[in-house]
Amino acid sequence: MSDGNHLNLKEELPLIPLKNVVLFPRVAIPLLVQRAKSIGSLDYALSQDRLVIFVAQKNIYDDVDQKDLFKIGTVGRIFEIHKLPDGTSKVHVEGIARVRIKEFSQVSPFFKARVELIEPKYASGIETEALLRTTVEQFRKLVEVRNLPMSTTFPELIDALEQVKDPQQIVDLIAINLNLELLDQQEILETTDVSAALKKINFYIGRELEIMDAEKKVVRETRKQLGKMQKEMFLREQMKSIEKELGLDGEKGEIETLRAKIKAAGMPKDTEAKALKELGRLEKMSSFSPEVSYLRTYLDWLVELPWSRKSTAKIDLKEAEKILNDDHYGLKKVKERILEYLAVQKQVGKIRGPILCFVGPPGTGKTSIGRSIARALGRKFVRVSLGGMRDEAEIRGHRRTYVGALPGRIVQGVNTAGTRNPIFMLDELDKIGMDFRGDPSAALLEALDPEQNFAFSDHYLEVPFDLSDVMFIATANMLDTVPPALRDRLEIIEFPGYTEDEKLHIVKKFLLPKLFKEHGLKENSIRFNDQALKDIIRKHTREAGVRDLERQTATIIRKITRKFVEKKVKAGLAVTPQTLHSYLGPVRFTHQEAETKDEIGVSTGLAWTPVGGEVMSIEASRMPGKGKLLLTGHLGEVMKESVQAALSFARSTAAKLGIKEDFYKEDIHVHVPSGAIPKDGPSAGIAMAAAIISLLTGNPVRKDVGMTGEVTLRGKVLGIGGVKEKILAAHRAGLKTVIMPAENEKDLEDIPREVRRDLKFKFAKTMDDVLKLALKNNRVPRV
């Protein structure tokens, strides 16, 4: 083998980066070559003279660049290689000489570099000789008490060191056999002054000897403690035998069992100390004391709580998305937000952020989607209904001084789950009450605040319990009754309700298979016509969710099941629109259709309701009088103000609109049909103004135009909400054009494609735009 002094290096050599190891000259080590670039360098070296530059990398990444490599490495020769079936190679390498990288001549497909040899600097003298002897002697002490990681046996290693005369080689041999960090090994490699290298290696040996002394001390203390424990264990066993002979072992056995359970429960130290203190009190009490049962129940709760038990976290976003899609149809934005939440949780490990709160009408799937989240995460699901809860102790627990005291619903739920990281659903958050017994919503603040819930205080436990691993999900039908302080801790996710098309898919994909299974029928036993299902949705239910739809469909299936049992009909019966009446009776609900002709003083408005959108006709009429404004149709305060604003706008622009100046001497009556149904909201403003202006100008309103938007006294059209529901109502009623505020153009993204295809959308900034689009004669003076 050539040594470093007589090595003739080529102009460039292949380079292989090393992870967590440094190759020293005149030392042989085995390596596993796996990376594509390293395999390329290896193949090139084998085709040449088997020389490779081995350089340690500063990190542990597979994809490394020039900046990730140290500048000083070792030229090594490959003297043995074994190809493995998976494409990797096991090689044995022997270091030859230290080198410094001058430049990289190639980085792809593998590294090549130009290098220069580094000559060690020797300083002869008494000090160097003394350092050399001290180093070898210290290393001898080290190997006598500890087996170091190496292939050569220790006596052979010591003999080799005594025979080697080169101080640099002694430093390299010792460095490779010490438990040094990568940076320490690299520092030794880069130290060219042999005396300095000896001092460093001597320091590392001394540090290792101190560590071993400390380890010996720990072992001695541990053995002493174990001996004491074994003695105590022997004495306890003797005491148990004596108690057994005296017939006293039953009560003591329970105490010891409880003590063992407390120590095995994984409680925090303070909590364990509290439990052992209470156990000590229990041990000293007479069995006839009434407090014994209270203490025993309290200790049972402390022992059974999952202080350290957790469900194994598994967040697979593709599997979670599949589960959400399998369990729920639609709710695209809701699912996206949940998947984003899970993605961040997978990336970070734990989110100290807002609590998810699902808000929407009943029957839209808020609770069931919580179950799907738990199934997607592989965690236990706990649901607590807060509806009607008025006592703060329901959340925080009762003081132990009360008879029948128990922990609060949150601690009980976690205990039922058996893990400290369940999915915890707080249902009906908006229905919490409040009376002289306290405010439960205020007690929830601590449980839901990620800055506080790591030490949740339950009155019964009297010790903090960590709720930071619990994923809380709240549900509510509306946010108006949720206190602002509690709402501030929630991230609101709206459940807008389902469209008719979504309901049709839900009943076919989810409800019918479920109902067939519940009624013991095969799926082809009853065939539901699509139009029949649409009629059930439109004419027999009026809801944002699908609960009533499920009930009505179940009614049909029950009636047909009875006929199957009585053998009056055979399987394969079809349910059509014509046969619905025989199952469900007369139509329960009707939806207003579009106007049949253009009329003066009649406009079509679009309204939002909790169960979907509706079309409403707005009628305006004039009669001799004293300028009064009459309003009928069970209008709310906001809608009455909209009519007043619309009339004021018409009066202020009368001259420009061509309205006779004396019209204010007549009474104007504005009526919205279906007077028994309460109506309110600002979004009927432009429809009201269009009806009044049509009446006063004698210009009919187009029958196929629906309008929604708020109007100001100056004629500006302001944005509104509930766009999706209103547009679906317009589509259902057969309208052709929808006029809406320009601010709401962005909301068209949520509208189904087939609806956007059938309707024309016009966007208005002022009443001038509305009148040009809505009135039949659109030559209206600019206002």
Side-chain angles (χ1 to χ4, degrees):
M1 181 187 74
S2 302
D3 60 17
N5 298 325
H6 302 90
L7 182 66
N8 295 319
L9 295 179
K10 291 186 176 180
E11 185 177 352
E12 61 179 11
L13 288 173
L15 184 147
I16 294 180
L18 298 178
K19 282 186 189 178
N20 296 322
V21 68
V22 173
L23 176 64
F24 286 92
R26 290 174 284 189
V27 174
I29 61 172
L31 296 173
L32 195 64
V33 182
Q34 294 177 308
R35 291 178 280 188
K37 279 190 173 184
S38 300
I39 292 173
S41 298
L42 178 64
D43 293 341
Y44 180 82
L46 293 175
S47 67
Q48 300 295 317
D49 52 9
R50 296 196 171 211
L51 293 181
V52 180
I53 307 165
F54 292 94
V55 181
Q57 60 188 66
K58 300 174 184 178
N59 51 44
I60 59 170
Y61 302 129
D62 287 338
D63 187 14
V64 294
D65 201 357
Q66 304 173 31
K67 64 179 182 299
D68 300 320
L69 301 175
F70 289 104
K71 294 299 181 184
I72 293 178
T74 305
V75 171
R77 187 185 303 278
I78 298 164
F79 63 87
E80 188 175 344
I81 180 169
H82 300 284
K83 298 278 187 180
L84 302 179
D86 60 355
T88 61
S89 298
K90 185 176 181 182
V91 300
H92 288 267
V93 180
E94 185 176 16
I96 298 176
R98 286 171 171 78
V99 291
R100 179 181 288 104
I101 297 174
K102 293 194 294 184
E103 63 175 342
F104 285 85
S105 57
Q106 176 180 307
V107 294
S108 180
F110 57 87
F111 287 114
K112 282 186 180 180
R114 295 184 176 91
V115 296
E116 61 180 359
L117 287 172
I118 298 176
E119 298 293 342
K121 298 177 182 178
Y122 294 96
S124 58
I126 296 174
E127 183 181 356
T128 303
E129 183 66 25
L131 272 173
L132 190 60
R133 290 184 183 181
T134 302
T135 301
V136 174
E137 186 60 31
Q138 288 285 84
F139 188 68
R140 182 195 297 275
K141 289 182 181 178
L142 188 62
V143 297
E144 285 176 353
V145 294
R146 167 166 290 186
N147 293 336
L148 295 178
M150 55 173 290
S151 57
T152 312
T153 59
F154 299 132
E156 292 175 351
L157 175 61
I158 298 301
D159 292 343
L161 287 174
E162 290 177 346
Q163 293 174 10
V164 172
K165 301 302 182 184
D166 185 356
Q168 184 67 65
Q169 188 176 359
I170 291 175
V171 169
D172 294 343
L173 279 172
I174 293 176
I176 200 65
N177 285 288
L178 281 177
N179 293 326
L180 296 182
E181 298 289 337
L182 176 70
L183 291 176
D184 295 337
Q185 293 186 39
Q186 184 66 28
E187 186 182 9
I188 294 293
L189 183 71
E190 294 180 2
T191 304
T192 57
D193 189 315
V194 177
S195 296
L198 280 169
K199 289 178 182 178
K200 287 179 182 179
I201 205 72
N202 205 29
F203 166 76
Y204 292 136
I205 295 172
R207 184 181 66 181
E208 193 69 20
L209 285 170
E210 288 180 4
I211 292 172
M212 283 193 299
D213 286 342
E215 286 178 355
K216 286 181 180 179
K217 185 176 179 181
V218 170
V219 170
R220 283 195 301 269
E221 292 295 328
T222 304
R223 284 178 179 170
K224 187 187 295 182
Q225 190 66 25
L226 284 173
K228 184 179 177 182
M229 289 172 62
Q230 287 173 346
K231 182 179 179 181
E232 288 178 358
M233 190 182 299
F234 175 73
L235 292 174
R236 282 200 191 97
E237 290 298 325
Q238 281 189 326
M239 188 181 295
K240 284 180 183 178
S241 299
I242 295 169
E243 288 172 349
K244 188 174 181 181
E245 290 294 327
L246 295 174
L248 302 173
D249 62 312
E251 186 178 330
K252 290 287 184 181
E254 285 187 15
I255 297 294
E256 291 306 317
T257 301
L258 265 177
R259 182 176 280 108
K261 287 182 178 179
I262 290 170
K263 291 184 176 179
M267 303 176 187
K269 288 184 178 179
D270 293 344
T271 304
E272 184 175 321
K274 167 81 171 173
L276 290 173
K277 181 180 177 182
E278 295 295 330
L279 182 64
R281 288 183 57 214
L282 178 64
E283 191 173 11
K284 295 173 184 177
M285 282 182 186
S286 167
S287 58
F288 299 103
S289 172
E291 197 177 348
V292 167
S293 61
Y294 303 152
L295 262 180
R296 180 59 191 264
T297 304
Y298 173 71
L299 290 172
D300 285 341
W301 270 103
L302 287 183
V303 165
E304 291 171 6
L305 279 172
W307 297 97
S308 57
R309 294 192 300 274
K310 295 173 68 172
S311 298
T312 305
K314 57 164 191 174
I315 301 179
D316 186 336
L317 291 183
K318 289 185 178 179
E319 180 65 18
E321 185 176 13
K322 180 179 181 300
I323 289 173
L324 290 174
N325 289 332
D326 288 347
D327 292 353
H328 300 84
Y329 183 83
L331 303 176
K332 182 180 177 183
K333 286 192 174 181
V334 175
K335 293 176 183 176
E336 284 181 357
R337 180 63 189 89
I338 291 170
L339 290 173
E340 289 166 6
Y341 185 94
L342 298 181
V344 176
Q345 194 172 43
K346 181 175 183 178
Q347 181 73 13
V348 178
K350 187 197 300 186
I351 298 181
R352 292 173 64 85
I355 309 302
L356 297 182
C357 180
F358 301 151
V359 179
T364 50
K366 301 184 294 297
T367 303
S368 60
I369 208 166
R371 295 183 187 276
S372 299
I373 294 172
R375 192 157 69 90
L377 293 176
R379 288 158 71 168
K380 295 293 183 67
F381 179 79
V382 181
R383 174 185 169 274
V384 171
S385 178
L386 304 178
M389 188 179 291
R390 294 177 178 274
D391 189 353
E392 180 188 352
E394 291 284 337
I395 302 296
R396 287 193 179 276
H398 302 80
R399 302 281 182 187
R400 282 200 288 148
T401 52
Y402 294 104
V403 175
L406 284 173
R409 299 285 289 278
I410 291 178
V411 171
Q412 288 185 42
V414 173
N415 184 59
T416 302
T419 65
R420 58 178 289 180
N421 62 338
I423 305 296
F424 203 113
M425 176 155 282
L426 300 167
D427 229 347
E428 312 293 352
L429 188 65
D430 55 328
K431 297 178 179 61
I432 295 180
M434 173 180 163
D435 61 11
F436 65 93
R437 290 170 290 185
D439 184 1
S441 62
L444 276 174
L445 295 178
E446 183 185 358
L448 298 184
D449 191 341
E451 299 299 329
Q452 303 179 48
N453 65 7
F454 62 89
F456 176 71
S457 175
D458 185 275
H459 290 160
Y460 181 80
L461 295 183
E462 297 179 351
V463 290
F465 188 82
D466 187 0
L467 296 176
S468 61
D469 287 322
V470 178
M471 181 178 176
F472 285 102
I473 300 174
T475 71
N477 296 133
M478 60 183 67
L479 288 174
D480 298 347
T481 57
V482 179
L486 183 56
R487 194 185 315 169
D488 182 59
R489 287 160 171 80
L490 307 175
E491 177 167 339
I492 308 302
I493 298 180
E494 298 281 352
F495 277 61
Y498 298 110
T499 65
E500 283 188 10
D501 184 60
E502 288 173 339
K503 288 181 181 179
L504 180 63
H505 282 85
I506 289 170
V507 72
K508 290 170 67 176
K509 186 176 179 182
F510 298 100
L511 300 185
L512 284 177
K514 173 187 170 185
L515 291 172
F516 285 143
K517 185 177 180 181
E518 289 178 355
H519 290 78
L521 300 176
K522 295 181 179 178
E523 290 193 16
N524 56 1
S525 299
I526 306 173
R527 291 180 289 106
F528 280 83
N529 182 287
D530 277 6
Q531 189 57 47
L533 292 173
K534 288 180 181 178
D535 283 354
I536 298 173
I537 294 167
R538 186 176 297 179
K539 299 178 181 179
H540 292 274
T541 64
R542 177 173 282 176
E543 58 176 346
V546 291
R547 283 182 184 159
D548 199 23
L549 174 59
E550 183 176 0
R551 282 192 288 267
Q552 298 298 327
T553 311
T555 299
I556 297 172
I557 294 176
R558 281 199 307 274
K559 291 181 182 295
I560 296 176
T561 302
R562 178 183 173 184
K563 293 181 179 181
F564 287 158
V565 173
E566 293 175 351
K567 299 184 179 179
K568 292 182 180 180
V569 295
K570 294 183 179 179
L573 182 68
V575 178
T576 64
Q578 293 74 27
T579 60
L580 274 184
H581 185 276
S582 62
Y583 298 120
L584 298 178
V587 171
R588 296 170 59 197
F589 304 104
T590 57
H591 296 274
Q592 185 170 334
E593 301 295 329
E595 295 292 330
T596 55
K597 63 178 181 178
D598 301 335
E599 292 192 45
I600 295 172
V602 179
S603 65
T604 303
L606 303 176
W608 178 91
T609 71
V611 295
E614 283 294 336
V615 169
M616 61 181 181
S617 292
I618 298 170
E619 302 173 350
S621 180
R622 62 198 295 183
M623 63 208 75
K626 297 181 181 180
K628 291 182 180 180
L629 177 63
L630 305 176
L631 303 175
T632 55
H634 209 331
L635 305 183
E637 291 299 323
V638 177
M639 193 169 279
K640 288 178 182 178
E641 291 176 359
S642 293
V643 182
Q644 292 279 2
L647 180 59
S648 296
F649 168 75
R651 291 183 66 177
S652 66
T653 57
K656 295 179 181 179
L657 291 169
I659 300 172
K660 294 180 181 180
E661 294 181 0
D662 60 348
F663 80 92
Y664 60 86
K665 295 180 181 179
E666 298 176 317
D667 290 345
I668 294 178
H669 186 172
V670 177
H671 176 68
V672 182
S674 301
I677 301 174
K679 310 169 189 72
D680 203 5
S683 60
I686 65 172
M688 297 283 189
I692 293 172
I693 293 171
S694 167
L695 173 70
L696 298 176
T697 59
N699 194 349
V701 180
R702 289 171 53 191
K703 65 179 183 297
D704 59 348
V705 174
M707 290 169 269
T708 179
E710 184 178 359
V711 67
T712 69
L713 290 175
R714 294 177 294 164
K716 287 187 176 182
V717 179
L718 304 181
I720 41 83
V723 173
K724 180 180 178 182
E725 291 81 0
K726 293 174 182 177
I727 290 176
L728 291 173
H731 182 260
R732 182 180 62 231
L735 297 174
K736 301 299 181 186
T737 304
V738 174
I739 301 173
M740 55 195 295
E743 292 180 28
N744 292 108
E745 185 174 0
K746 63 184 184 299
D747 296 320
L748 289 185
E749 294 180 6
D750 299 333
I751 309 303
R753 186 178 301 172
E754 62 274 10
V755 176
R756 293 203 304 265
R757 186 177 58 242
D758 295 342
L759 288 173
K760 291 182 180 178
F761 298 98
K762 303 295 183 181
F763 302 97
K765 292 184 178 180
T766 64
M767 274 304 300
D768 182 40
D769 301 331
V770 175
L771 296 176
K772 283 186 177 182
L773 296 166
L775 299 185
K776 189 172 183 181
N777 177 12
N778 59 13
R779 292 191 297 275
V780 178
R782 178 171 289 278
V783 295

